[in-house]
Amino acid sequence: MANDKRDFYQVLGVGRSASADEIKRAYRKLARKYHPDLNKSDASAEARFKEAQEAYDILSDAKKRQAYDQFGHAGVSSSAAAEAAAAAAAAAARGGRNPGGFRYATQTPGGATVDFGEVDLEDLFNRFTGGGANRRGRRSPFTQATTNTEAEPPGADLTHHVNLTFDQAVHGTTLELRLSSATSASPETLSVKIPAGVHEGAKVRVRGKGQPSLMGHARGDLIIVTHIEPHPYFKIEGHDIVLDLPISAGEAANGATVAIPTLDGSAELKIPAGITTDKKLRIRGQGVVKRDGSRGDQLCRIVLQLPENLSDADKTWLKELDSRLNFNPRGQLPWRLKK
């Protein structure tokens, strides 16, 4: 029953003066914590998840939140009679008392009475029959609510976070999601296609799979937020793939052809003689898929490495080489310091 429910502000852990952003952040934190897919061994998690969804559905909507603040759970009941009475009460407040009507009030099991005001019988009849003008010549406010469904606000959007492997993010994938809803007794299973090339924090919108509205009209959307697991050696920069490529001093001096990994398998890369560290060699068309179907590139960043087991003689030889060639790697930099 309605009075058995916890206070929606208490459910989300926010104060009654909380902003819309504070309510959203609190809901997202709880949704991640109690999502059934992440708490399969915890039977109470699904109930907490549904409770948080219901609280967010009400408090994220300005009109529903106002009704809840004024009347509590009774003010946001999905009962058609309660909604009709509440709307009629608002109409009565705007236009004065209606001698042809009656007052609608309900008493909660705890003994508190919620008075919705005076209700016009004909307006109430038109609410459920789709009738037109009432006896005073005004068109029933309920008629527009039932016949003009486009004006009815949709339900709240739902946010669902998913973790993707690097390969799933780059190549795309299809996920089978099991989603719980505060308005449904059983979870809903959805097959959601994640397009190739999504990045960290990208949002994939699934139309019509969010919360239904209180009047049962259009549902909100499901927002899938992607989180990508790091790859052991690839990094994503925009639509390009970056690979750090270590080479030896001998390969850098003489040039070489080396085997490297790509998203599509191994390939050979020619390194020009005289290359220096941090230079990037580009392999076109080996990056992430773009919206137009083309692909970015793979960039191989040169990392010059020396052997770890250099002997004293080796080190002396390298120092003598610098001296003989008069080599100063910082000689051309703008911040070169005077001696």
Side-chain angles (χ1 to χ4, degrees), residues 57 61 64 145 148-157 207-221:
D57 180 45
D61 184 290
K64 296 176 189 176
N148 184 12
T149 58
E150 292 183 359
E152 185 71 25
D157 291 341
R207 300 286 183 184
K209 292 300 181 180
Q211 290 281 26
S213 68
L214 285 180
M215 299 298 292
H217 293 303
R219 293 176 63 175
D221 297 336

Side-chain angles (χ1 to χ4, degrees), residues 30-261:
L30 291 174
R32 287 193 294 269
K33 181 177 180 180
Y34 293 111
H35 196 282
D37 288 346
L38 303 178
N39 298 273
K40 295 181 180 179
S41 61
D42 186 355
S44 64
E46 184 171 344
R48 297 293 299 273
F49 181 76
K50 290 181 179 180
E51 185 182 45
Q53 281 189 324
E54 184 181 17
Y56 179 68
D57 180 45
I58 298 302
L59 299 184
S60 63
D61 184 290
K63 292 183 180 179
K64 296 176 189 176
R65 182 177 180 180
Q66 182 179 9
Y68 178 75
D69 288 345
Q70 186 172 1
F71 298 113
H73 291 294
V76 292
S77 169
S78 60
S79 165
E83 292 177 14
R94 292 192 300 270
R97 293 180 57 82
N98 177 9
F102 67 96
R103 296 190 69 78
Y104 180 85
T106 182
Q107 190 172 47
T108 67
T113 300
V114 180
D115 191 344
F116 290 100
E118 195 171 72
V119 180
D120 188 306
L121 289 173
E122 188 169 351
D123 280 349
L124 187 61
F125 176 77
N126 288 334
R127 166 67 178 84
F128 298 104
T129 62
N134 59 24
R135 59 172 144 240
R136 286 190 291 274
R138 301 193 312 270
R139 186 166 183 82
S140 168
F142 299 122
T143 303
Q144 182 177 7
T146 55
T147 59
N148 184 12
T149 58
E150 292 183 359
E152 185 71 25
D157 291 341
L158 294 179
T159 301
H160 183 76
H161 296 258
V162 297
N163 293 324
L164 302 177
T165 66
F166 188 88
D167 288 341
Q168 286 175 326
V170 169
H171 296 108
T173 187
T174 299
L175 301 178
E176 297 295 326
L177 303 180
R178 183 174 174 268
L179 303 175
S180 299
S181 171
T183 60
S184 175
S186 58
E188 181 178 8
T189 300
L190 297 177
S191 181
V192 178
K193 183 177 182 181
I194 305 297
V198 295
H199 53 80
E200 175 67 26
K203 296 180 179 180
V204 178
R205 183 179 294 271
V206 183
R207 300 286 183 184
K209 292 300 181 180
Q211 290 281 26
S213 68
L214 285 180
M215 299 298 292
H217 293 303
R219 293 176 63 175
D221 297 336
L222 173 64
I223 310 298
I224 306 295
V225 182
T226 60
H227 301 283
I228 304 173
E229 297 175 2
H231 194 273
Y233 44 84
F234 285 134
K235 296 179 182 178
I236 297 180
E237 291 185 0
H239 290 94
D240 294 335
I241 295 292
V242 179
L243 172 72
D244 283 349
L245 178 60
I247 64 172
S248 69
E251 290 173 327
N254 298 286
T257 298
V258 299
I260 61 167

Side-chain angles (χ1 to χ4, degrees), residues 10 15 93 274 291 306:
Q10 182 183 1
R291 289 188 178 183
L306 293 174

Side-chain angles (χ1 to χ4, degrees), residues 265-284:
S266 61
E268 289 190 340
L269 178 67
K270 185 176 181 180
I271 300 173
I275 197 167
T276 57
T277 195
D278 279 338
K279 293 290 185 180
K280 292 180 180 179
L281 302 178
R282 184 181 300 270
I283 306 176
R284 299 203 176 273

